[in-house]
Amino acid sequence: DALDAKTGALKWRFPNDWSLKDIKDKKAEKPEAIYAPPIVTKENVVYVAGYNGYVYALQQSAPGVKDRILWVRETGGPIIGGMALDSTTATLFVTSDDGRLYALSASDGSDRFPPVRVGDRIWSPPLVHAGNVYVGSTDGRLGAFDARNGPAAAAWTPFVAAGGIVAGPVLSGRTILVG
């Protein structure tokens, strides 16, 4: 839902106020639930991830611009943890319950590189920093991947925590914290 920040009045509701009937994949018409926070760009594009495993790119209305769906993309499982947008590469990184990291073109939803297996299920959002993407999984694995082409980051030693990583990795100086 989109609310007016000053008054709290409803501006629009997703998916109710958006025409999903033209989407070819009928499963995409019902996002089921939205657990991950949306991402909004300065161009008024809103990225929404659904528990149904789909990512939606919405063009929010602005003067001279009409609300419309830019693209819809399916992942291999429910999206619980979320997304991160790397503005330097115009890549939307999406984590999925299928244990993979998806790197999507922010402009059209196509793959920047093939989905990368991290571990078991992923319930946390990715962290993008200094050309790498860090992703934790419920089996305790923390992976680091090159943000431009996907393979494991060159200087990264695979890490396995004592328990599952369900909160997003956080950067503090030169330290990545997981939990």
Side-chain angles (χ1 to χ4, degrees):
D1 294 343
L3 308 175
D4 183 285
K6 186 175 181 181
T7 67
L10 181 67
K11 293 179 88 173
W12 53 263
R13 175 165 278 156
F14 180 79
N16 304 33
D17 296 337
W18 297 80
S19 178
L20 298 178
K21 65 180 189 285
D22 296 330
I23 296 175
K24 293 176 185 170
D25 189 341
K26 294 302 174 193
K27 292 185 302 184
E29 290 182 4
K30 296 179 183 169
E32 294 178 27
I34 298 171
Y35 294 126
I39 294 176
V40 182
T41 70
K42 63 182 177 185
E43 295 83 17
N44 285 331
V45 175
V46 180
Y47 299 98
V48 177
Y51 189 76
N52 63 348
Y54 286 83
V55 179
Y56 304 83
L58 313 172
Q59 176 66 64
Q60 208 175 187
S61 64
V65 178
K66 184 180 175 197
D67 288 345
R68 63 190 172 104
I69 297 174
L70 299 174
W71 54 262
V72 176
R73 170 64 195 273
E74 184 178 18
T75 67
I79 301 167
I80 298 167
M83 310 168 285
L85 181 61
D86 182 1
S87 58
T88 60
T89 62
T91 303
L92 183 68
F93 292 99
V94 181
T95 58
S96 177
D97 193 51
D98 71 351
R100 290 182 173 84
L101 169 69
Y102 292 81
L104 308 179
S105 165
S107 63
D108 64 12
S110 63
D111 285 328
R112 290 278 192 210
F113 51 80
V116 178
R117 167 71 66 189
V118 175
D120 197 16
R121 302 156 83 178
I122 303 173
W123 293 353
S124 65
L127 168 68
V128 179
H129 174 69
N132 290 325
V133 184
Y134 301 91
V135 183
S137 61
T138 59
D139 60 356
R141 298 179 191 281
L142 181 70
F145 304 95
D146 183 293
R148 293 197 183 275
N149 59 27
W156 184 256
T157 303
F159 174 79
V160 179
I165 300 173
V166 295
V170 176
L171 184 68
S172 174
R174 292 179 45 120
T175 303
I176 295 175
L177 304 169
V178 294

